[in-house]
Amino acid sequence: MSTHQIDAALLETAAAWAAQDPDPVTAAALRVLCDAAGAGDGPAAAELADRFAANLAFGTAGLRAELGPGPNRMNSMVVRRTAAGIGRFLLAAADGAYTPRAVIGFDARHNSDVFARESAAVLTAAGIEVQLLPSALPTPVLAWAVRERAAEAGIMVTASHNPPADNGYKVYLGGRAQDGWGQGAQITSPVDAQIAAQIDHDEPMADIALAAGGWTVLPGDVEAGYLDAIAGLVPEAGGTGGDRITAARENLRIVLTPMHGVGGHTMAQALGRAGFSRVRLVAEQAEPDPDFPTVSFPNPEEPGALDLALALATETDADLVIANDPDADRCAAAVKFPDTGWRMLRGDELGWLLGDRAAANAADGAVLANSIVSSRMLARIAAAHHLAHENTLTGFKWISRVPFLAFGYEEALGYCVAPSLVRDKDGLSAALVLADYAAELKAAGSSLPEVLDSLALAHGLHQTDQLSVRVADLGLLDTMMESLRVAPPATLGGEAVTGFEDLSLGANLPPTDGLLFATAADTRVIVRPSGTEPKLKCYLEVIAPVAGPGGLPAARAAGTARLEAIKQELAGLLDR
């Protein structure tokens, strides 16, 4: 077959797509692209080929991709076909015994509200009872509503902290469709494959019925219900015996940024209800804006993302900076360290602080958990409190399913402080608990950095870092992984490698594509391909005992040097 014939077939396929696209904007954009490609525009032809290279895959993370026409992008046709597949899955699971219920939420990204309403129309027409959140709200509110309303499914239209051009589709399962500890959590295998099997990527738009109405738009107090629920996570201020708590919270100066996302209103209310009266919102980032104009990448982990918040914190002599990602399921924090000034806490550090506080208040039999790529400190904290600890695969769909979970976290700023309310990471409730802890410590003449020091003295100084290798060709990820499998390094940073585990064999956890290296000096390195980006990620951790407070500075300097040496050696190995 000639190149001309291939191009002609692609143009024909694209024209057929545009002809039934219900969105006039994407339909028009596709026709313009087809005209340019047909006229011999090379980049346009490449772009068109990419848009039709594959069907956007539905998996345990749902859907996530750049907005635009074509089966390999997020658009109305893909969303309607996916919603129809979810409807078929729910009806098959009910098998006539009940009418499935679905709750649908959306953030403020481009087309999130459109995709949510289209999903509601498709599911309602299929015979599903649909409840639609009344406005753009955080993902934790949707996750809470799935459990609160005993829904069989939850759909959240969001791309979390992806670039502005992206959107996505998270799916939760609960009610009568999911029992046990995973009720209300994001889907895992094999449910993802079962839903994917129900999605017909060639289903004509005319065959997908749309209800003109019939779904319920939940009242505005759904947000208030969530706020009422998480309020119980911290002691009540005011009233008898609450004066001390009230004073402590009124004395804490907080800078808050939702990073142009939907968490600002909810987070500010949560703090205000608890008695935190000295909260300053970063004005430039306070309102939802799908273009995220003040940040190059709307992820609190990215360099520069917290610059405006840190500037306001310095100007106002704040005690704590809280940042949520655009859909508010992640929480970042920054504090002022005595010697080095303002610094964002690493995801692991915040996990230790919240985990130690959770452990102190946990009931007998409770379990603490973290993803395998997160620090080993939480396991030591759990042991010190006579609690069980579990490692899980990466992702909250695994962490949230741990039986008897009291607290779970992953180093990518995800924290679950209230599993009975939200079986997912929740940046709002985590931030509320953190603010309460910071206020309590300040009132006692202490601070979050001092708690980190005390944890290092009690359990050993744990230091973590990452090395990421971005690739243009996804095939290189397999090549690099196989190279390390076949010829694992004998040393890392000059330390002898004494342990090697191929995580794909599933010895201690379900199989996953990853490699674990351990050294005689208690260093651990895990290498795995990213699940969302074209890069290989290396997670590093060094541990060292500390004799006393006076030894912390030297121990930290030595640990930093060890991490840097390991990163350099790894970079060389991956570049060979």
Side-chain angles (χ1 to χ4, degrees):
M1 184 178 289
S2 71
T3 302
H4 175 74
Q5 288 173 313
I6 294 174
D7 289 343
L10 175 59
L11 289 171
E12 184 179 342
T13 299
W17 179 284
Q20 61 172 325
D21 190 342
D23 183 345
V25 174
T26 51
L30 183 55
R31 291 190 180 99
V32 169
L33 190 62
C34 286
D35 289 344
D41 185 327
E47 175 68 15
L48 187 64
D50 184 61
R51 290 176 182 273
F52 285 83
N55 293 308
L56 190 58
F58 183 90
T60 56
L63 300 173
R64 194 175 295 186
E66 184 180 343
L67 290 160
N72 201 24
R73 296 290 189 271
M74 280 293 293
N75 51 66
S76 289
M77 285 178 65
V78 167
V79 165
R80 291 186 188 189
R81 286 169 172 166
T82 300
I86 291 172
R88 286 189 281 267
F89 167 82
L90 292 173
L91 290 170
D95 196 23
Y98 57 84
T99 298
R101 176 182 301 151
V103 183
I104 301 175
F106 55 97
D107 65 7
R109 282 179 175 266
H110 293 295
N111 275 8
S112 285
D113 56 341
V114 174
F115 295 158
R117 285 194 299 270
E118 288 184 319
S119 298
V122 170
L123 291 175
T124 299
I128 311 294
E129 178 194 338
V130 175
Q131 300 179 352
L132 182 67
L133 295 194
S135 59
L137 286 167
T139 291
V141 176
L142 180 279
W144 169 80
V146 170
R147 289 176 62 82
E148 171 68 13
R149 296 181 173 272
E152 276 65 53
I155 295 171
M156 182 68 192
V157 184
T158 178
S160 191
H161 57 270
N162 273 38
D166 291 2
N167 214 324
Y169 212 70
K170 292 181 181 178
V171 179
Y172 298 79
L173 212 60
R176 292 155 290 189
Q178 173 74 65
D179 56 12
W181 298 99
Q183 192 169 70
Q186 287 192 58
I187 58 171
T188 56
S189 179
V191 169
D192 60 329
Q194 293 167 359
I195 293 176
Q198 296 284 0
I199 299 171
D200 182 353
H201 297 288
D202 298 316
E203 189 169 12
M205 287 296 99
D207 291 353
I208 301 177
L210 295 176
W215 58 85
T216 300
V217 176
L218 295 175
D221 63 4
V222 65
E223 181 187 35
Y226 166 82
L227 289 167
D228 288 342
I230 68 169
L233 299 176
V234 298
E236 186 176 356
T240 305
D243 292 343
R244 177 185 57 81
I245 296 172
T246 300
R249 293 175 185 168
E250 288 178 346
N251 193 38
L252 191 77
R253 296 181 293 272
I254 299 173
V255 166
L256 170 65
T257 175
M259 296 191 66
H260 302 294
V262 294
H265 182 261
T266 312
M267 189 71 251
Q269 284 190 89
L271 292 170
R273 282 175 165 221
F276 293 95
S277 57
R278 305 177 75 178
V279 179
R280 290 284 300 273
L281 269 162
V282 177
E284 301 92 329
Q285 299 173 334
E287 295 301 320
D289 188 329
D291 295 317
F292 309 107
T294 68
V295 292
S296 58
F297 202 96
N299 182 350
E301 292 181 294
E302 292 293 320
L306 293 190
D307 284 356
L308 288 174
L310 292 175
L312 182 59
T314 300
E315 176 189 330
T316 59
D317 193 26
D319 301 298
L320 176 67
V321 169
I322 292 171
N324 293 120
D325 69 335
D327 72 327
D329 64 350
R330 286 173 169 83
C331 171
V335 293
K336 193 173 184 179
F337 286 78
D339 299 327
T340 56
W342 280 99
R343 174 173 73 78
M344 179 175 156
L345 295 173
R346 298 189 69 87
D348 281 312
E349 291 175 318
L350 186 46
W352 305 337
L353 291 166
L354 293 172
D356 190 54
R357 187 169 177 83
N361 298 316
D364 292 342
V367 178
L368 307 186
N370 56 256
S371 64
I372 190 173
V373 297
S374 301
S375 167
R376 291 165 284 175
M377 170 75 89
L378 189 65
R380 299 190 179 191
I381 291 172
H385 289 273
H386 307 289
L387 298 173
H389 171 269
E390 283 197 28
N391 279 316
T392 75
L393 295 181
T394 304
F396 258 86
K397 57 184 176 285
W398 302 112
I399 296 171
S400 62
R401 282 175 159 76
V402 171
F404 306 105
L405 182 69
F407 170 76
Y409 92 94
E410 60 182 3
E411 47 72 42
L413 304 180
Y415 310 96
C416 178
V417 299
S420 63
L421 301 177
V422 175
R423 286 239 160 224
D424 196 7
K425 55 187 175 291
D426 181 350
L428 303 171
S429 59
L432 179 62
V433 171
L434 181 70
D436 181 57
Y437 195 14
E440 176 188 305
L441 290 168
K442 183 180 180 181
S446 184
S447 67
L448 295 172
E450 287 187 39
V451 174
L452 290 174
D453 286 349
S454 68
L455 290 173
L457 293 171
H459 308 297
L461 179 63
H462 292 56
Q463 291 172 278
T464 60
D465 205 347
Q466 285 190 29
L467 171 69
S468 294
V469 180
R470 187 173 288 275
V471 298
D473 179 4
L474 287 175
L476 290 175
L477 296 178
D478 293 335
T479 300
M480 289 189 286
M481 290 294 291
E482 189 59 24
S483 174
L484 290 175
R485 277 193 177 93
V486 173
T491 63
L492 284 172
E495 301 175 11
V497 173
T498 56
F500 170 65
E501 182 180 349
D502 185 345
L503 301 176
S504 69
L505 301 179
N508 300 305
L509 288 170
T512 185
D513 190 9
L515 302 171
L516 185 153
F517 304 93
T519 77
D522 213 7
T523 290
R524 187 195 69 182
V525 174
I526 295 177
V527 183
R528 62 183 286 270
S530 170
T532 56
E533 299 177 87
K535 61 185 181 183
L536 198 70
K537 301 185 75 171
C538 306
Y539 302 83
L540 291 60
E541 182 174 38
V542 298
I543 303 176
V546 186
L552 277 169
R556 285 200 171 96
T560 300
R562 287 171 64 190
L563 288 168
E564 188 57 36
I566 294 165
K567 287 172 69 174
Q568 289 185 10
E569 190 162 346
L570 270 174
L573 287 169
L574 296 172
D575 192 40
R576 65 189 180 189

